Amino acid sequence: MPEAGAIPIPRYLAEQGVRDMVRISDGRMSGTAYGTVILHGSPEAAVGGPLALVRDGDIIELDVKAQRLELLVGEEELERRRAEYVPPVRPPQRGWRRLYAERVQQARLGADLDFL
């Protein structure tokens, strides 16, 4: 799983006084990173989950106490985006990259190979 890391605040936001922003990742986070991060987001965008439909400028509401993350985009727009969705290019026909793409489980299941 990738490291979420310390993603810096974009300069134009930092100049406006923004000191933290919510980041959503399907990765993990070590003790060297900081800030508000939602980790182990799944299903991943690569398999056509809701994250695949998010666009720049969309409003996302986070309610930590209620454990709720909601994309505030109308259902008609989401349907349009689903219709336009193009899956990522298929992995190679063989080898580790193919095995990884087809058999590694989601983060909530340990990001392990499903046959182990």
Side-chain angles (χ1 to χ4, degrees):
M1 290 172 28
E3 174 71 35
I7 301 169
I9 303 290
R11 176 177 280 169
Y12 76 96
L13 290 176
E15 290 171 352
Q16 296 176 41
V18 174
R19 298 289 173 249
D20 192 13
M21 65 181 184
V22 175
R23 291 160 287 158
I24 302 172
S25 173
D26 64 348
R28 61 188 179 86
M29 185 171 178
S30 73
T32 61
Y34 61 90
T36 307
V37 182
I38 298 169
L39 299 170
H40 299 179
S42 63
E44 296 178 38
V47 294
L51 290 178
L53 305 178
V54 175
R55 301 290 182 264
D56 285 352
D58 285 348
I59 304 296
I60 299 174
E61 184 175 75
L62 170 63
D63 184 335
V64 175
K65 190 172 186 178
Q67 297 182 358
R68 187 175 55 79
L69 182 68
E70 185 175 354
L71 176 59
L72 300 179
V73 173
E75 194 54 43
E76 285 182 20
E77 174 63 14
L78 289 176
E79 285 300 322
R80 184 184 69 72
R81 292 178 187 184
R82 279 186 198 99
E84 294 175 352
Y85 175 73
V86 177
V89 177
R90 288 184 56 197
Q93 292 298 314
R94 46 181 287 138
W96 171 247
R97 296 179 96 191
R98 177 71 178 218
L99 185 64
Y100 181 88
E102 291 181 348
R103 306 302 296 262
V104 171
Q105 298 174 321
Q106 297 283 343
R108 67 182 179 79
L109 300 171
D112 200 359
L113 293 162
D114 61 1
F115 54 82
L116 295 178

